[in-house]
Amino acid sequence: MDYPFGKAAFWILILALLSGIGVAALNRSHRVHRPDLVFLTYTSDHANVYAPLIHKFERDHHVTVDLEVVDLAALQERLTAAFQVHAEVPDLVELGVVLMGSATKGPLEDVGFWDLTDKIHTAHLDDQLVSARFAGFSSRGHIFALPHDVHPVMLLYRADLLAKLHIDPSQLTTWDDFTRIGRQVTKDIDGDGIIDRYMINLPDDSHDGLQMLLLQKGISLFDPMGNVSFDTPDAAETLCWYVRQTEGATRISFNAQGQQNLCRCMIDGLCLFYICPDWRSRQFQLDVPSLSGKLALMPLPAWSPGQRRTSTWGATGLAITKACQHKDLAWQLAMSLYYDKNQLGPRFEATNILPPLKAAWTNPAYDQPRTFFSNQPIGRLYANLAPFVPSDYANPYTSIAQAKLRDAYLNTKLYYRDHPNADLMPIALDQLHSAAASIRQIQSRNVLLETAH
């Protein structure tokens, strides 16, 4: 019997049917042979570190683990969508606080991650780890991920240039001291009307620098119960300080942004100081090797004598999904990757990232002098500050709050540009109140989250 649409269409139909059968068979095979655990991370650097440890874990437990690297934005979108429609999800996910916030947007019982609170208490991890690091992966008193890092913040500085300028970094114990010296060294050296040397590199087009300094004061965007908490007089004072350092005739900072511009700025000595969380110290080692031996680290200046001399910038955690069929196995893998102190010393040597497991800091790797940093033992410097890092709480509206904080800063800076002699405090506080009010209004529309409080 002839096919009514011709032989070409007939064979196309046959090929389509055969392809469909093949894809179906492949999917069935994939389901049948699914690994015991599927683990997604968003950074190849972490994956490269984990790969040999996972191979050993597979041999020791006679299981299979599929480790995949997924772009962070894609990971957030895909996982959030999968939770909403109850689609297939990985067993373990390495994530940041933004994804954790979006995953906890509704009632606690609807969160797609396994509640690790009791497991953590039973294992006494709350005593063994830097407790503040649980904040970024918690919601309403429940912990949904294990912290990977601490990310204490220090200042990196051009030690060779400070020596020529007769600046003793040990005397810069407060931000008042720092800005006073900054006014003296920020200047047009050759008289051409262009500033040739600034005290510090600070971002003036994002929330990052300001948020880091607010955290140093203990001001998070949200409190532990999810309430907006950055519209206070203390926060407004910090905003005013930041505006005055990044704008106007008495500014002491320059925004070198990143990558090649930042490297050129460092090599040329355009700025003397740079914000340096632990992870960024590794980037500097890789990006400006020519400055080896010319750089050093110091704690942040305190806002007042005796107060906190560090902050934090960024966080990564490891979550286990509720859908995981082998939760205890996933927990064992997480412990192996994150808290085996025997491998955390070599990992620090390779990454400069300080782990939250306090027992790991006794490893000799943390006391090893680093030639690049003027022979300082940077591991010990960061570890000494780690117990004082502030809590930065996860929230479904973190991204919105960061954008609103940036707007408050930019609006205050624009006002200061036109009114350099005005009292900035009322303007800054009004901007923060406006930003917080808009977030509270958005929060009020989330009936599910309201009922979860």
Side-chain angles (χ1 to χ4, degrees):
M1 182 182 296
D2 292 335
Y3 188 65
F5 300 106
K7 291 183 179 181
F10 172 78
W11 286 111
I12 290 174
L13 174 62
I14 294 299
L15 288 173
L17 290 172
L18 291 174
S19 298
I21 293 170
V23 170
L26 182 62
N27 287 338
R28 284 196 299 273
S29 174
H30 176 74
R31 287 193 294 269
V32 171
H33 299 290
R34 185 186 190 275
D36 296 289
L37 295 173
V38 175
F39 175 22
L40 265 57
T41 182
Y42 62 88
T43 166
S44 58
D45 289 340
H46 288 193
N48 293 336
V49 171
Y50 299 152
L53 301 174
I54 289 176
H55 291 327
K56 182 179 184 301
F57 185 87
E58 290 177 313
R59 293 193 302 269
D60 292 346
H61 293 80
H62 306 289
V63 296
T64 56
V65 180
D66 182 18
L67 174 62
E68 301 178 18
V69 179
V70 181
D71 175 75
L72 180 58
L75 174 62
Q76 292 178 177
E77 293 176 3
R78 287 164 53 182
L79 195 61
T80 302
F83 282 151
Q84 291 175 347
V85 300
H86 304 289
E88 186 175 357
V89 294
D91 301 293
L92 301 98
V93 182
E94 202 164 49
L95 72 170
V97 294
V98 173
L99 176 52
M100 178 54 64
S102 64
T104 57
K105 203 166 188 175
L108 289 171
E109 59 268 22
D110 290 343
V111 175
F113 295 122
W114 186 24
D115 188 340
L116 301 177
T117 311
D118 292 340
K119 196 81 171 172
I120 288 169
H121 293 330
T122 301
H124 303 292
L125 285 179
D126 43 346
D127 297 322
Q128 298 176 46
L129 307 183
V130 177
S131 59
R133 300 310 284 172
F134 289 112
F137 306 101
S138 303
S139 181
R140 291 151 283 178
H142 295 257
I143 305 170
F144 293 99
L146 297 167
H148 166 272
D149 42 55
V150 184
H151 293 337
V153 176
M154 301 183 76
L155 286 182
L156 181 80
Y157 61 90
R158 283 287 303 266
D160 57 331
L161 298 183
L162 260 63
K164 291 179 180 179
L165 293 167
H166 305 290
I167 298 173
D168 182 358
S170 68
Q171 299 302 307
L172 304 178
T173 57
T174 68
W175 283 113
D176 284 343
D177 297 331
F178 189 88
T179 53
R180 176 175 52 81
I181 298 299
R183 299 277 186 268
Q184 298 172 16
V185 302
T186 300
K187 61 175 58 178
D188 169 15
I189 299 173
D190 56 16
D192 65 354
I194 299 175
I195 301 296
D196 300 295
R197 184 178 61 223
Y198 291 88
M199 184 67 165
I200 189 171
N201 168 53
L202 288 176
D204 63 1
D205 54 0
S206 71
H207 62 87
D208 291 323
L210 177 58
Q211 185 178 356
M212 183 274 299
L213 291 173
L214 288 172
L215 284 169
Q216 186 187 5
K217 280 191 173 183
I219 303 171
S220 182
L221 297 179
F222 299 91
D223 68 17
M225 296 308 295
N227 302 302
V228 181
S229 57
F230 64 86
D231 56 335
T232 64
D234 204 16
E237 287 181 0
T238 310
L239 174 56
C240 291
W241 182 93
Y242 201 83
V243 167
R244 292 192 177 100
Q245 313 320 316
T246 57
E247 180 65 33
T250 59
R251 63 183 292 187
I252 65 170
S253 77
F254 176 81
N255 181 14
Q257 299 180 336
Q259 298 180 332
Q260 293 183 356
N261 287 341
L262 177 59
C263 295
R264 190 74 262 164
C265 173
M266 297 180 73
I267 294 170
D268 291 347
L270 181 60
C271 297
L272 299 178
F273 289 85
Y274 301 83
I275 303 297
C276 192
D278 56 358
W279 53 265
R280 206 178 194 195
S281 68
R282 177 63 177 170
Q283 289 186 358
F284 289 143
Q285 281 184 258
L286 297 175
D287 293 344
V288 285
S290 64
L291 293 180
S292 179
K294 298 179 180 180
L295 299 172
L297 289 161
M298 62 167 279
L300 293 183
W303 285 109
S304 296
Q307 291 186 347
R308 180 188 286 124
R309 296 199 61 183
T310 191
S311 184
T312 189
W313 186 348
T316 295
L318 183 58
I320 300 171
T321 59
K322 280 183 178 178
C324 176
Q325 297 298 305
H326 308 288
K327 290 186 175 65
D328 288 337
L329 183 66
W331 173 265
Q332 292 177 56
L333 177 59
M335 293 298 102
S336 174
L337 295 179
Y338 270 27
Y339 308 132
D340 178 359
K341 69 176 185 179
N342 293 323
Q343 52 91 12
L344 290 178
R347 184 180 299 180
F348 177 78
E349 290 181 313
T351 66
N352 291 5
I353 293 178
L354 189 76
L357 182 69
K358 291 178 280 189
W361 307 341
T362 60
N363 190 292
Y366 297 92
D367 292 301
Q368 185 68 33
R370 298 288 189 90
T371 302
F372 185 85
F373 298 99
S374 303
N375 290 319
Q376 290 179 311
I378 67 168
R380 185 57 49 205
L381 297 180
Y382 279 115
N384 288 343
L385 294 172
F388 307 103
V389 296
S391 297
D392 187 13
Y393 297 98
N395 192 275
Y397 302 98
T398 293
S399 295
I400 296 174
Q402 290 172 339
K404 295 295 183 181
L405 180 64
R406 179 198 62 206
D407 291 345
Y409 159 67
L410 293 175
N411 289 336
T412 305
K413 186 170 79 165
L414 288 173
Y415 182 87
Y416 180 64
R417 183 178 297 172
D418 295 333
H419 307 83
N421 299 316
D423 180 5
L424 267 188
M425 186 65 180
I427 305 302
L429 191 56
D430 181 66
Q431 286 295 322
L432 292 178
H433 281 321
S434 177
S438 65
I439 299 167
R440 293 186 181 108
Q441 184 178 30
I442 295 172
Q443 284 181 312
S444 69
R445 299 171 187 156
N446 188 344
V447 178
L448 294 176
L449 189 60
E450 280 295 311
T451 59
H453 275 261

